[in-house]
Amino acid sequence: MGVQDYSFLRDLQVEFKDYEVTNKFSLCFWLYLNEPSTLPSTILYQEHPDVTSHAPFLLLDERKKILLFPSLISSHSNITSWREVAHAISECEFPTKKWVHVGCEVTQDLLHLYFDGKIVGEKCLTSSLSNDMGSDNSRISLTCISGKDSQLDGYVHSSELFPILSTIENHYVKDPPVQLSIDSSSAYEIEEDSDGVWSIVGGKASCRRNFDIDVTLMDNFSRPMTEEAEVVASLVYSDDNTPVEKPVDADAALLTSYDGIEYASSDRPSKVISGRASFKLKISQLSSKCDNRLFRIRFDSPKLGKYPFLEVFSRPIRCISRNRSTRATSLMLRKSSLGIHLLNGSQSPVLDDGSSDRPCIVREAKQSPSSKRVKLGQEKLCANFKDDFVLKQANGGSRSHSWTSEDNHAHQNSLVARPVSHGGAENFSSDSENSETTNSPIDDLPSNRDPISDMVVFKYCLADLNERRLLLKEMAMTAKEEELATFAERVSLFSGCSHHRHQISISKRLIEEGINCWNLISNDNHHVLWENLVSGLQEHFLKMTFGRIRSLTHQDFNLLRRVSGCQDLVSQDNFEKLWCWLYPVAFTLSQQCISSLWGSTSPMWIEGFITKEEAESSLRSLGALQEPGTYILRFPTSRSWPHPDAGNLVVTYVGSDYTIHHRLMSLEFIYSSGVKGTTIRPIQDMLLEQPELRRLGRIVRSQ
């Protein structure tokens, strides 16, 4: 990505060398428009040397909708307005100050207008052209489409002309542009007033305080820019974006800190690493000394070019001088997605009183005898799994068994104080999310000499599922398998339950194989077609399960599509959702005692990937429940890595009370036995030994 990859809209010139192309072509380009001064306004014109007045090709109307006109140029036109010509119009407004992929398909009979790979307008021309033009007018060959006469302030990226159709979706994912943005979730030590203005403590050196903020340089698919780049921060006035003057014999208006030393922010750009540049800033100029004017921070990348999409402004800022003692009563700007660098413990989330919760994690674990956050030094971390399954209700007796109930919705004091299901998620609990916790002597804490610090372990134990996923993704890129194994043991020790161990231990392989799988399927594109993803996943699934068991069916892929939210065009984010569900399932199926279930066809113990609702429906025959003891095995669709129950099996069965129950089979004993080299009895035998399970049911799929 360089300066030469972007051009002004007025410099766009598309020339046609072949008459046949003008009757059937696709024009694709990325378009960035600033706010228009006048509407309607033509974006691109059609040109011909024999015609003095140019016809519009793309036009932005008063409602900010785009109109696409046919390749229609007449030397004797009696049309008073081009609005009378048949045209396609977009269903939605065209957004400004944002990159949008525009695709135009033009034939003699049809117009198609695309935004970001999707059709937003179409028009059939067969019956309308003759009425619009009259008998004395004719269509002549189009020679050029140009933006040189456009009055709009805009930019174009990656424009291409194709003589064939069906290329717009491929062009959309091929070479997206980048844009600089502020990650508002990274804001730290910033107060937000009721009017939305940021209030920052600044002024003289003894009073001003650091505040943190990150900017991201991403493409349109939220992929970080990989090339080297630098971002510069500067202080400007909010009303006219002019620079704030540096006072005589004083520090620069905006300062940045590196290793405890302050520099003028303009002298120390921040490098973009993995699409992100982090700033630790201070403001030395007070609003009260500048006629109470508000400031903004401007971030730009001069080396990449002076473009509006490579420049971004913060919210308005009021810089104030405040006594340190009054800070405790103010409400600090909170982070929604935290933006934490968990491996080094920086940028801890902020509480409402402005204090950080980072020291509290360690302090409660060490000093609070009644704390229920962590359980340390247990002789037995969780269940000692045996070869036989013991079926018990989740709300009675010990919870350290191979089965846990899906019927009990009560949530006890747990390591992560939150319900385990939202929306349509399944409501079963496991030891991993509902551990009763106590304290024991701090001597059991692992040594701080471990490459992964205690702080990271506590962060993982107290984080929600998404934060755990981000932490493991970051760790897996650098940590060794042995380090992750040690980390898994420490998490089990601190949380009081061993169910977390398996998901941590497979994280490195999951991420590495996921990256390889995506790269092979996508061929370095940011999106892939669903049918291409299906064939690639089928091959990888057979490799993960060692190719000795059956492949995935059309119904299986339908469920994967629903789990991940994939459309016909699949992004990497959707692929990651799919992979985080599929990989733990494939890992389970690769275990010898489970692969025999999956590979069995008579009887068919596992009939593929199904939902909870499909299992329940199959246990009802003509509106009535099947016999008590009839059961079906399935994988829970609401459990994805790194949830402790991801990849486990659920037994859905008809109980003796003629109601449907769901029980989770914890497979921790299988994974631990593999490490110990012990032999596991066939799962089929253990299932049939349960008095509640008498007969294997069949799946009834809806047509």
Side-chain angles (χ1 to χ4, degrees):
M1 198 284 294
V3 176
Q4 69 277 7
D5 294 322
Y6 301 96
S7 62
F8 291 105
L9 173 62
R10 61 179 178 268
D11 294 333
L12 178 62
Q13 191 90 352
V14 182
E15 296 184 355
F16 293 81
K17 303 296 185 183
D18 185 353
Y19 169 73
E20 294 297 328
V21 174
T22 67
N23 296 321
K24 184 179 181 181
F25 67 89
S26 296
L27 176 63
C28 305
F29 57 94
W30 288 90
L31 179 61
Y32 181 99
L33 288 182
N34 285 317
E35 286 292 341
S37 56
T38 58
L39 290 174
S41 188
T42 301
I43 301 172
L44 295 175
Y45 287 92
Q46 304 182 45
E47 294 183 0
H48 191 278
D50 298 332
V51 180
T52 55
S53 60
H54 300 325
F57 181 71
L58 284 178
L59 182 142
L60 187 68
D61 70 5
E62 301 87 347
R63 298 171 297 170
K64 292 187 177 180
K65 293 188 176 183
I66 286 188
L67 282 60
L68 170 63
F69 292 90
S71 56
L72 179 68
I73 295 187
S74 172
S75 58
H76 303 287
S77 176
N78 58 4
I79 297 176
T80 57
S81 172
W82 282 103
R83 299 290 187 94
E84 300 174 12
V85 178
H87 58 268
I89 183 171
S90 62
E91 301 169 350
C92 54
E93 290 186 6
F94 188 85
T96 56
K97 296 186 177 297
K98 177 184 177 182
W99 282 109
V100 178
H101 185 269
V102 178
C104 308
E105 283 184 355
V106 179
T107 69
Q108 289 183 322
D109 303 324
L110 190 65
L111 297 177
H112 276 156
L113 179 62
Y114 292 76
F115 286 174
D116 289 339
K118 297 180 180 178
I119 294 180
V120 294
E122 60 181 331
K123 182 67 176 180
C124 182
L125 304 177
T126 305
S127 61
S128 59
L129 280 178
S130 59
N131 295 332
D132 292 335
M133 294 303 301
S135 58
D136 294 334
N137 295 283
S138 60
R139 300 175 69 187
I140 63 176
S141 60
L142 176 65
T143 60
C144 182
I145 293 176
S146 173
K148 68 178 181 180
D149 294 325
S150 176
Q151 301 302 311
L152 292 170
D153 181 19
Y155 297 84
V156 174
H157 171 71
S158 185
S159 58
E160 287 193 60
L161 180 69
F162 301 97
I164 57 174
L165 303 181
S166 70
T167 55
I168 290 180
E169 288 185 353
N170 293 333
H171 185 273
Y172 169 54
V173 301
K174 180 180 177 182
D175 183 23
V178 298
Q179 188 162 355
L180 193 65
S181 305
I182 292 178
D183 181 6
S184 57
S185 67
S186 67
Y188 182 53
E189 292 289 343
I190 298 175
E191 299 178 27
E192 183 175 339
D193 295 338
S194 58
D195 57 359
V197 175
W198 286 356
S199 185
I200 295 176
V201 178
K204 58 184 180 180
S206 60
C207 296
R208 57 190 180 229
R209 291 191 174 87
N210 283 316
F211 60 95
D212 299 345
I213 194 166
D214 291 359
V215 295
T216 58
L217 193 55
M218 305 278 189
D219 65 21
N220 257 50
F221 305 120
S222 299
R223 295 284 299 268
M225 179 179 145
T226 56
E227 287 81 358
E228 292 186 2
E230 292 181 340
V231 178
V232 177
S234 56
L235 194 67
V236 299
Y237 289 109
S238 178
D239 51 3
D240 58 8
N241 293 335
T242 58
V244 176
E245 305 85 0
K246 176 183 178 298
V248 180
D249 298 329
D251 293 328
L254 186 65
L255 302 168
T256 184
S257 298
Y258 284 90
D259 299 326
I261 302 176
E262 293 183 352
Y263 302 89
S265 60
S266 58
D267 296 338
R268 293 298 296 261
S270 181
K271 290 186 179 297
V272 177
I273 301 175
S274 298
R276 179 178 296 269
S278 300
F279 290 87
K280 186 179 289 292
L281 302 169
K282 290 182 180 181
I283 300 178
S284 65
Q285 185 68 285
L286 297 174
S287 294
S288 59
K289 295 185 178 181
C290 298
D291 298 327
N292 289 320
R293 297 173 71 182
L294 299 180
F295 306 139
R296 288 183 190 268
I297 299 175
R298 178 177 62 200
F299 299 94
D300 62 346
S301 184
K303 291 184 178 180
L304 294 181
K306 287 290 186 179
Y307 295 107
F309 47 86
L310 295 179
E311 178 182 69
V312 65
F313 294 86
S314 71
R315 289 189 185 181
I317 295 172
R318 182 179 293 109
C319 186
I320 60 175
S321 178
R322 178 179 297 171
N323 194 330
R324 291 178 182 270
S325 61
T326 64
R327 179 174 178 268
T329 61
S330 64
L331 296 180
M332 301 300 292
L333 184 66
R334 302 185 66 174
K335 301 181 184 180
S336 56
S337 61
L338 301 183
I340 304 172
H341 302 290
L342 290 174
L343 287 183
N344 56 24
S346 65
Q347 294 190 9
S348 178
V350 177
L351 303 178
D352 284 355
D353 61 355
S355 62
S356 171
D357 70 343
R358 184 170 58 193
C360 299
I361 299 173
V362 179
R363 186 164 59 248
E364 287 191 41
K366 291 185 178 182
Q367 298 177 0
S368 174
S370 61
S371 170
K372 292 186 177 181
R373 291 197 176 192
V374 291
K375 175 166 55 177
L376 304 175
Q378 288 185 321
E379 185 173 341
K380 295 183 179 180
L381 295 176
C382 222
N384 288 327
F385 297 101
K386 300 180 181 180
D387 285 355
D388 57 328
F389 281 35
V390 182
L391 188 62
K392 291 190 177 183
Q393 294 294 335
N395 56 357
S398 171
R399 295 183 56 82
S400 48
H401 299 284
S402 302
W403 296 74
T404 55
S405 174
E406 195 176 11
D407 304 323
N408 183 10
H409 294 188
H411 299 284
Q412 307 179 23
N413 292 325
S414 61
L415 181 66
V416 182
R418 58 180 175 84
V420 296
S421 69
H422 299 280
E426 302 180 63
N427 294 307
F428 54 77
S429 307
S430 69
D431 297 325
S432 55
E433 297 294 334
N434 295 276
S435 303
E436 284 297 335
T437 52
T438 59
N439 270 356
S440 69
I442 200 64
D443 295 338
D444 291 332
L445 281 170
S447 168
N448 285 330
R449 292 190 299 271
D450 193 277
I452 302 175
S453 67
D454 289 344
M455 180 63 67
V456 178
V457 178
F458 279 114
K459 287 283 188 183
Y460 188 89
C461 291
L462 299 177
D464 62 26
L465 192 64
N466 185 57
E467 291 165 346
R468 290 178 180 178
R469 182 181 297 112
L470 294 175
L471 173 58
L472 286 177
K473 286 174 68 175
E474 188 172 356
M475 293 174 59
M477 301 303 292
T478 56
K480 300 177 180 178
E481 291 278 5
E482 311 85 69
E483 294 171 350
L484 287 174
T486 302
F487 176 70
E489 294 296 333
R490 295 169 67 196
V491 169
S492 297
L493 174 67
F494 287 10
S495 64
C497 185
S498 61
H499 283 134
H500 298 281
R501 183 188 298 122
H502 171 62
Q503 302 298 330
I504 297 174
S505 65
I506 68 172
S507 58
K508 191 173 184 67
R509 284 166 286 172
L510 180 147
I511 292 170
E512 290 179 349
E513 293 183 28
I515 293 173
N516 292 336
C517 179
W518 172 256
N519 289 340
L520 288 173
I521 296 174
S522 67
N523 290 322
D524 294 330
N525 290 318
H526 301 294
H527 287 69
V528 297
L529 296 175
W530 170 253
E531 52 266 29
N532 296 338
L533 183 67
V534 166
S535 58
L537 277 178
Q538 186 74 269
E539 180 181 351
H540 279 78
F541 178 80
L542 292 175
K543 287 181 180 179
M544 288 187 289
T545 54
F546 305 112
R548 63 188 182 208
I549 49 181
R550 73 176 194 250
S551 59
L552 298 178
T553 65
H554 177 70
Q555 289 83 2
D556 295 333
F557 280 109
N558 283 341
L559 183 134
L560 289 175
R561 193 167 186 171
R562 292 160 62 183
V563 167
S564 60
C566 290
Q567 303 298 322
D568 292 338
L569 203 60
V570 182
S571 67
Q572 186 173 5
D573 288 340
N574 293 125
F575 171 79
E576 288 184 3
K577 292 178 184 178
L578 184 153
W579 189 259
C580 287
W581 188 88
L582 179 62
Y583 187 90
V585 170
F587 188 91
T588 297
L589 294 176
S590 69
Q591 307 301 305
Q592 186 172 3
C593 57
I594 302 296
S595 65
S596 59
L597 289 178
W598 179 254
S600 174
T601 57
S602 182
M604 185 168 283
W605 288 87
I606 305 175
E607 295 197 44
F609 300 159
I610 62 171
T611 64
K612 174 184 175 181
E613 291 73 23
E614 288 173 330
E616 291 180 344
S617 176
S618 299
L619 292 177
R620 296 185 177 94
S621 178
L622 299 177
L625 285 174
Q626 296 190 28
E627 298 178 13
T630 305
Y631 65 95
I632 290 172
L633 298 179
R634 63 184 177 86
F635 292 100
T637 57
S638 62
R639 297 299 190 251
S640 297
W641 176 87
H643 193 285
D645 301 331
N648 284 349
L649 281 167
V650 169
V651 180
T652 298
Y653 69 99
V654 181
S656 57
D657 56 355
Y658 284 89
T659 59
I660 294 179
H661 300 266
H662 305 273
R663 296 296 176 89
L664 177 70
M665 291 172 49
S666 180
L667 303 178
E668 177 70 17
F669 74 100
I670 295 178
Y671 307 133
S672 60
S673 64
V675 175
K676 298 176 183 177
T678 56
T679 303
I680 296 296
R681 293 176 57 201
I683 301 296
Q684 299 94 314
D685 295 347
M686 291 189 275
L687 285 169
L688 293 175
E689 288 175 358
Q690 303 308 312
E692 288 85 353
L693 307 181
R694 303 173 187 170
R695 183 170 71 91
L696 184 64
R698 297 300 303 272
I699 299 298
V700 180
R701 298 187 184 273
S702 59
Q703 298 298 321

